[in-house]
Amino acid sequence: MASDLEKNDIIISTKNLSRVLDGEVPVTLIHSINLDIKRGQFVTITGPSGSGKSSLLYILGLLDNPTTGSLIIDGKEMTVLSENEKSDIRNSKIGFVFQFHFLLPEFTALENVMLPMKRLGLLHEAEIKSRAKELLESLGLKNELNKIPKQLSGGQSQRVAIARALANNPAIIFADEPTGNLDSKATANVIEIFKTLAKDHQRTIVSVTHDNTFAHASNYSINLVDGTLVST
Amino acid sequence: MRLLINIAVRQLVFRKRQSLVSLVGIVLGTGFFIAISSMMKGSENDFLKRLVDNSPHITISDEFRDPRVQPLEAMYPSNAAIEISNTRPVTETRGIRGFEKIIDFLKVKDPGIKVSQVLIGQGLVNYAGKDSPITLNGMIPEDILKVTTIEQNMVEGSIDDLIGYPDGIIIGGELARTLKLKLGNSISITASTGTTRIFKIVGIFRTGRSSYDINQSFLHLKRVQSLVNRPNKANSIIIKLSNPYNARVFAKETEDQVAYKNLSWQESSEDLINTIAIRNKIMYTVVSAVLIVAAFGIYNVISTVVMEKYRDIAILKSMGFYAKEIRIIFLTQGIMLGVAGCMIGVPLGIAFMYSLMQIKFKPPGGTQIIQMPIDWGITQFLVAITFAMTASILAAYLPARKAGAVKPVDILRGGAA
């Protein structure tokens, strides 16, 4: 085994990651998680309700802060960064897909996908537009570009949300129950997209799910029980 | 920044109804504020103007504030060893002594001053067998134009006719009505000395105050002096100052100099001025209430929008928007609502003011048609705009700060769409 090469290929690494909710009776959401995720892997986090899988996902996605422990993404320690620095990383390196599409209702599908790119501000308006178009077309939404979220079906909305997550070409995509609200056909579609992204485009995908089909389709599953890692 | 403004505009336009409601709140608040304050300010100005213009700013009369005491009394005050009983005040000759000197002194003190000597006498009008008491204001006719506003209240004839006709008289409309007098009629006036002279009516005025309109008349100074048999005398000096609001101080200073009683308009109508002060307090209370209600409307709408937008705020944050950028989005909305509100509200206020100006009415039992007095000063517009903008920004700032502090996890994890 060429261990050096493999080590360089680790994109997410945690050490003793814990999250405790303050209060009169402190609640431990996750406890001492140690894991390494390699680039280009499609990983699912599974476990019963309340096992802390979403908590773990949000901490990995820099939307929440761990109480103790270390989180290294792409070789950098994240726990020492300021809120704004974390915002910048979310903007450029991370994409999110949620159970509900959370598209902005005032904007068309195309504009929703353009938003993160405009926020990043690296490309010109025209380039942003053509990239957003390409992304949506590659997800089979050629005819839905100028529709507002209200006019889209659940599956279509979720694909727009995936396109939006991919907008800034992020290294990692975090997904929270992305198929929880979809029928089996749309679910299969999303699974297919995630598989292709990981295999052909070297994107790392970390997704929380309790859908067995979805979990089986991934490279491997991380199983959480009561905030503790059970098996990988 | 352009992106943030774009998002702010989109949200406003997308939520047409709510944006419109808050806009209407600001528009009405601004419009009503301008209309009400212009009306209140206008009526205050009108009231003061009537008070200031229709009465002399200062009247110097041939009286003393305190009767002058006998020299003997001054020498032996009442608590001295000798007490003299039954002393009377010094008998003063009637009329202001050396009024020409006083007038010269006043002209030096305030170069913009308008001043005139007056001999006021009492008489009786006799016409067609009827008698009516009358106050005779003997003045130099040119001075009447300078120190009184009678010219503006002339309904027939003019002061100019008096200038050219020394045996003319200007009387009030009420007197003309009760005695059935017309312009050009001759009336005989008997003074308290018993002298009678015939005068021709060259002008009729109407001020709206019936006691004034029935009682007062204006004549040549020389004629009154001969009627009351006091040649070369004046018993009052009427003063119009360049700044009427100086009258109180000015009167105090000249009284110290000339010893005669100086009565400022503030002193003679103190009760009315107190009423105005109370009225102003009431007006500002009412207008502030209107604006506070409007401001609360803005706060209410924007804070509701922010609450409804929690999900979008969370998603924008997850995309990497800073808390500051989220605050800017909602603050921009408040500012835009404020600016738009002022841009519609100010013209609306002006429209209100115009329509108020069109109202003309006769007060019950009155004889004159009056108009709503409207003040067109710039101050109230500035106050309205400043208040509307401050209210919009403040009303948006509080919810915006809350929006900036939204934790995406709390919203996104719940997942409820």
PDB file of all heavy atoms in Angstrom, chain B residues 192-213:
ATOM      1  N   SER B 192     -65.404 115.462  23.189  1.00  0.00           N
ATOM      2  CA  SER B 192     -65.748 115.596  24.602  1.00  0.00           C
ATOM      3  C   SER B 192     -65.646 117.056  25.065  1.00  0.00           C
ATOM      4  O   SER B 192     -66.232 117.422  26.074  1.00  0.00           O
ATOM      5  CB  SER B 192     -64.834 114.693  25.442  1.00  0.00           C
ATOM      6  OG  SER B 192     -63.510 114.806  24.995  1.00  0.00           O
ATOM      7  N   THR B 193     -64.907 117.864  24.305  1.00  0.00           N
ATOM      8  CA  THR B 193     -64.809 119.284  24.656  1.00  0.00           C
ATOM      9  C   THR B 193     -66.047 120.066  24.233  1.00  0.00           C
ATOM     10  O   THR B 193     -66.207 121.217  24.592  1.00  0.00           O
ATOM     11  CB  THR B 193     -63.593 119.912  23.949  1.00  0.00           C
ATOM     12  OG1 THR B 193     -63.705 119.630  22.552  1.00  0.00           O
ATOM     13  CG2 THR B 193     -62.292 119.373  24.478  1.00  0.00           C
ATOM     14  N   GLY B 194     -66.892 119.460  23.430  1.00  0.00           N
ATOM     15  CA  GLY B 194     -68.092 120.132  22.970  1.00  0.00           C
ATOM     16  C   GLY B 194     -67.986 120.642  21.552  1.00  0.00           C
ATOM     17  O   GLY B 194     -68.982 120.998  20.942  1.00  0.00           O
ATOM     18  N   THR B 195     -66.799 120.677  21.006  1.00  0.00           N
ATOM     19  CA  THR B 195     -66.605 121.139  19.635  1.00  0.00           C
ATOM     20  C   THR B 195     -67.233 120.158  18.655  1.00  0.00           C
ATOM     21  O   THR B 195     -67.114 118.950  18.820  1.00  0.00           O
ATOM     22  CB  THR B 195     -65.115 121.272  19.315  1.00  0.00           C
ATOM     23  OG1 THR B 195     -64.451 121.760  20.469  1.00  0.00           O
ATOM     24  CG2 THR B 195     -64.877 122.173  18.123  1.00  0.00           C
ATOM     25  N   THR B 196     -67.858 120.669  17.632  1.00  0.00           N
ATOM     26  CA  THR B 196     -68.452 119.815  16.612  1.00  0.00           C
ATOM     27  C   THR B 196     -67.872 120.165  15.254  1.00  0.00           C
ATOM     28  O   THR B 196     -67.676 121.340  14.949  1.00  0.00           O
ATOM     29  CB  THR B 196     -69.977 119.988  16.580  1.00  0.00           C
ATOM     30  OG1 THR B 196     -70.501 119.678  17.854  1.00  0.00           O
ATOM     31  CG2 THR B 196     -70.605 119.062  15.540  1.00  0.00           C
ATOM     32  N   ARG B 197     -67.572 119.147  14.482  1.00  0.00           N
ATOM     33  CA  ARG B 197     -67.092 119.369  13.114  1.00  0.00           C
ATOM     34  C   ARG B 197     -67.760 118.370  12.187  1.00  0.00           C
ATOM     35  O   ARG B 197     -68.150 117.285  12.590  1.00  0.00           O
ATOM     36  CB  ARG B 197     -65.573 119.188  13.029  1.00  0.00           C
ATOM     37  CG  ARG B 197     -64.758 120.363  13.489  1.00  0.00           C
ATOM     38  CD  ARG B 197     -63.311 120.121  13.176  1.00  0.00           C
ATOM     39  NE  ARG B 197     -63.014 120.563  11.830  1.00  0.00           N
ATOM     40  CZ  ARG B 197     -62.245 121.624  11.574  1.00  0.00           C
ATOM     41  NH1 ARG B 197     -61.684 122.290  12.553  1.00  0.00           N
ATOM     42  NH2 ARG B 197     -62.006 121.991  10.331  1.00  0.00           N
ATOM     43  N   ILE B 198     -67.831 118.730  10.923  1.00  0.00           N
ATOM     44  CA  ILE B 198     -68.407 117.824   9.928  1.00  0.00           C
ATOM     45  C   ILE B 198     -67.259 117.132   9.184  1.00  0.00           C
ATOM     46  O   ILE B 198     -66.286 117.777   8.805  1.00  0.00           O
ATOM     47  CB  ILE B 198     -69.240 118.612   8.887  1.00  0.00           C
ATOM     48  CG1 ILE B 198     -70.275 119.510   9.577  1.00  0.00           C
ATOM     49  CG2 ILE B 198     -69.891 117.648   7.890  1.00  0.00           C
ATOM     50  CD1 ILE B 198     -71.462 118.775  10.152  1.00  0.00           C
ATOM     51  N   PHE B 199     -67.399 115.818   9.025  1.00  0.00           N
ATOM     52  CA  PHE B 199     -66.400 115.048   8.258  1.00  0.00           C
ATOM     53  C   PHE B 199     -67.088 114.254   7.163  1.00  0.00           C
ATOM     54  O   PHE B 199     -68.243 113.843   7.304  1.00  0.00           O
ATOM     55  CB  PHE B 199     -65.632 114.090   9.177  1.00  0.00           C
ATOM     56  CG  PHE B 199     -64.714 114.787  10.136  1.00  0.00           C
ATOM     57  CD1 PHE B 199     -65.158 115.129  11.411  1.00  0.00           C
ATOM     58  CD2 PHE B 199     -63.414 115.116   9.774  1.00  0.00           C
ATOM     59  CE1 PHE B 199     -64.320 115.782  12.305  1.00  0.00           C
ATOM     60  CE2 PHE B 199     -62.574 115.774  10.667  1.00  0.00           C
ATOM     61  CZ  PHE B 199     -63.023 116.107  11.936  1.00  0.00           C
ATOM     62  N   LYS B 200     -66.350 114.040   6.070  1.00  0.00           N
ATOM     63  CA  LYS B 200     -66.889 113.247   4.969  1.00  0.00           C
ATOM     64  C   LYS B 200     -66.240 111.862   5.009  1.00  0.00           C
ATOM     65  O   LYS B 200     -65.029 111.741   5.198  1.00  0.00           O
ATOM     66  CB  LYS B 200     -66.559 113.931   3.632  1.00  0.00           C
ATOM     67  CG  LYS B 200     -67.381 113.425   2.475  1.00  0.00           C
ATOM     68  CD  LYS B 200     -67.056 114.232   1.225  1.00  0.00           C
ATOM     69  CE  LYS B 200     -66.867 113.318   0.064  1.00  0.00           C
ATOM     70  NZ  LYS B 200     -66.365 114.013  -1.116  1.00  0.00           N
ATOM     71  N   ILE B 201     -67.043 110.841   4.841  1.00  0.00           N
ATOM     72  CA  ILE B 201     -66.506 109.469   4.886  1.00  0.00           C
ATOM     73  C   ILE B 201     -65.752 109.171   3.585  1.00  0.00           C
ATOM     74  O   ILE B 201     -66.342 109.234   2.497  1.00  0.00           O
ATOM     75  CB  ILE B 201     -67.629 108.438   5.086  1.00  0.00           C
ATOM     76  CG1 ILE B 201     -68.320 108.693   6.437  1.00  0.00           C
ATOM     77  CG2 ILE B 201     -67.091 107.014   5.024  1.00  0.00           C
ATOM     78  CD1 ILE B 201     -69.609 107.932   6.611  1.00  0.00           C
ATOM     79  N   VAL B 202     -64.436 108.943   3.710  1.00  0.00           N
ATOM     80  CA  VAL B 202     -63.641 108.652   2.505  1.00  0.00           C
ATOM     81  C   VAL B 202     -63.207 107.179   2.455  1.00  0.00           C
ATOM     82  O   VAL B 202     -62.619 106.734   1.477  1.00  0.00           O
ATOM     83  CB  VAL B 202     -62.395 109.550   2.413  1.00  0.00           C
ATOM     84  CG1 VAL B 202     -62.794 111.004   2.205  1.00  0.00           C
ATOM     85  CG2 VAL B 202     -61.523 109.402   3.650  1.00  0.00           C
ATOM     86  N   GLY B 203     -63.495 106.443   3.519  1.00  0.00           N
ATOM     87  CA  GLY B 203     -63.087 105.032   3.507  1.00  0.00           C
ATOM     88  C   GLY B 203     -63.816 104.239   4.574  1.00  0.00           C
ATOM     89  O   GLY B 203     -64.219 104.790   5.616  1.00  0.00           O
ATOM     90  N   ILE B 204     -64.042 102.977   4.289  1.00  0.00           N
ATOM     91  CA  ILE B 204     -64.671 102.086   5.271  1.00  0.00           C
ATOM     92  C   ILE B 204     -63.804 100.827   5.360  1.00  0.00           C
ATOM     93  O   ILE B 204     -63.416 100.253   4.337  1.00  0.00           O
ATOM     94  CB  ILE B 204     -66.111 101.715   4.853  1.00  0.00           C
ATOM     95  CG1 ILE B 204     -66.994 102.976   4.865  1.00  0.00           C
ATOM     96  CG2 ILE B 204     -66.684 100.651   5.782  1.00  0.00           C
ATOM     97  CD1 ILE B 204     -68.367 102.784   4.270  1.00  0.00           C
ATOM     98  N   PHE B 205     -63.468 100.445   6.587  1.00  0.00           N
ATOM     99  CA  PHE B 205     -62.657  99.223   6.770  1.00  0.00           C
ATOM    100  C   PHE B 205     -63.442  98.175   7.529  1.00  0.00           C
ATOM    101  O   PHE B 205     -64.424  98.484   8.199  1.00  0.00           O
ATOM    102  CB  PHE B 205     -61.354  99.543   7.516  1.00  0.00           C
ATOM    103  CG  PHE B 205     -61.558 100.042   8.921  1.00  0.00           C
ATOM    104  CD1 PHE B 205     -61.727  99.147   9.977  1.00  0.00           C
ATOM    105  CD2 PHE B 205     -61.591 101.408   9.193  1.00  0.00           C
ATOM    106  CE1 PHE B 205     -61.930  99.605  11.258  1.00  0.00           C
ATOM    107  CE2 PHE B 205     -61.797 101.869  10.487  1.00  0.00           C
ATOM    108  CZ  PHE B 205     -61.964 100.966  11.526  1.00  0.00           C
ATOM    109  N   ARG B 206     -63.012  96.944   7.389  1.00  0.00           N
ATOM    110  CA  ARG B 206     -63.635  95.857   8.146  1.00  0.00           C
ATOM    111  C   ARG B 206     -62.537  94.887   8.564  1.00  0.00           C
ATOM    112  O   ARG B 206     -61.916  94.249   7.729  1.00  0.00           O
ATOM    113  CB  ARG B 206     -64.677  95.144   7.298  1.00  0.00           C
ATOM    114  CG  ARG B 206     -65.456  94.073   8.063  1.00  0.00           C
ATOM    115  CD  ARG B 206     -66.464  93.396   7.178  1.00  0.00           C
ATOM    116  NE  ARG B 206     -67.658  94.221   6.967  1.00  0.00           N
ATOM    117  CZ  ARG B 206     -68.627  94.371   7.870  1.00  0.00           C
ATOM    118  NH1 ARG B 206     -68.554  93.759   9.027  1.00  0.00           N
ATOM    119  NH2 ARG B 206     -69.667  95.111   7.600  1.00  0.00           N
ATOM    120  N   THR B 207     -62.254  94.791   9.880  1.00  0.00           N
ATOM    121  CA  THR B 207     -61.203  93.890  10.361  1.00  0.00           C
ATOM    122  C   THR B 207     -61.769  92.544  10.776  1.00  0.00           C
ATOM    123  O   THR B 207     -61.041  91.578  10.904  1.00  0.00           O
ATOM    124  CB  THR B 207     -60.490  94.475  11.598  1.00  0.00           C
ATOM    125  OG1 THR B 207     -61.453  94.636  12.639  1.00  0.00           O
ATOM    126  CG2 THR B 207     -59.845  95.811  11.286  1.00  0.00           C
ATOM    127  N   GLY B 208     -63.074  92.490  11.010  1.00  0.00           N
ATOM    128  CA  GLY B 208     -63.668  91.244  11.482  1.00  0.00           C
ATOM    129  C   GLY B 208     -63.894  91.250  12.981  1.00  0.00           C
ATOM    130  O   GLY B 208     -64.621  90.417  13.503  1.00  0.00           O
ATOM    131  N   ARG B 209     -63.259  92.182  13.685  1.00  0.00           N
ATOM    132  CA  ARG B 209     -63.542  92.302  15.114  1.00  0.00           C
ATOM    133  C   ARG B 209     -64.586  93.393  15.273  1.00  0.00           C
ATOM    134  O   ARG B 209     -64.299  94.575  15.037  1.00  0.00           O
ATOM    135  CB  ARG B 209     -62.267  92.679  15.873  1.00  0.00           C
ATOM    136  CG  ARG B 209     -61.315  91.513  16.047  1.00  0.00           C
ATOM    137  CD  ARG B 209     -60.018  91.949  16.657  1.00  0.00           C
ATOM    138  NE  ARG B 209     -59.270  92.805  15.742  1.00  0.00           N
ATOM    139  CZ  ARG B 209     -58.334  93.660  16.125  1.00  0.00           C
ATOM    140  NH1 ARG B 209     -58.064  93.803  17.395  1.00  0.00           N
ATOM    141  NH2 ARG B 209     -57.687  94.391  15.237  1.00  0.00           N
ATOM    142  N   SER B 210     -65.794  93.044  15.677  1.00  0.00           N
ATOM    143  CA  SER B 210     -66.895  93.992  15.551  1.00  0.00           C
ATOM    144  C   SER B 210     -66.738  95.178  16.503  1.00  0.00           C
ATOM    145  O   SER B 210     -67.099  96.293  16.164  1.00  0.00           O
ATOM    146  CB  SER B 210     -68.234  93.286  15.750  1.00  0.00           C
ATOM    147  OG  SER B 210     -68.463  93.085  17.113  1.00  0.00           O
ATOM    148  N   SER B 211     -66.155  94.951  17.686  1.00  0.00           N
ATOM    149  CA  SER B 211     -65.996  96.078  18.605  1.00  0.00           C
ATOM    150  C   SER B 211     -65.042  97.107  17.995  1.00  0.00           C
ATOM    151  O   SER B 211     -65.239  98.306  18.152  1.00  0.00           O
ATOM    152  CB  SER B 211     -65.461  95.591  19.956  1.00  0.00           C
ATOM    153  OG  SER B 211     -64.143  95.137  19.808  1.00  0.00           O
ATOM    154  N   TYR B 212     -64.036  96.597  17.270  1.00  0.00           N
ATOM    155  CA  TYR B 212     -63.088  97.498  16.622  1.00  0.00           C
ATOM    156  C   TYR B 212     -63.773  98.201  15.457  1.00  0.00           C
ATOM    157  O   TYR B 212     -63.622  99.402  15.253  1.00  0.00           O
ATOM    158  CB  TYR B 212     -61.886  96.684  16.134  1.00  0.00           C
ATOM    159  CG  TYR B 212     -60.684  97.510  15.720  1.00  0.00           C
ATOM    160  CD1 TYR B 212     -59.705  97.861  16.654  1.00  0.00           C
ATOM    161  CD2 TYR B 212     -60.526  97.929  14.408  1.00  0.00           C
ATOM    162  CE1 TYR B 212     -58.606  98.615  16.283  1.00  0.00           C
ATOM    163  CE2 TYR B 212     -59.425  98.684  14.025  1.00  0.00           C
ATOM    164  CZ  TYR B 212     -58.463  99.020  14.973  1.00  0.00           C
ATOM    165  OH  TYR B 212     -57.384  99.759  14.594  1.00  0.00           O
ATOM    166  N   ASP B 213     -64.570  97.420  14.707  1.00  0.00           N
ATOM    167  CA  ASP B 213     -65.189  97.948  13.491  1.00  0.00           C
ATOM    168  C   ASP B 213     -66.295  98.964  13.785  1.00  0.00           C
ATOM    169  O   ASP B 213     -66.674  99.756  12.936  1.00  0.00           O
ATOM    170  CB  ASP B 213     -65.766  96.801  12.647  1.00  0.00           C
ATOM    171  CG  ASP B 213     -64.670  95.968  12.033  1.00  0.00           C
ATOM    172  OD1 ASP B 213     -63.507  96.413  12.090  1.00  0.00           O
ATOM    173  OD2 ASP B 213     -64.962  94.873  11.509  1.00  0.00           O
TER     174      ASP B 213
END
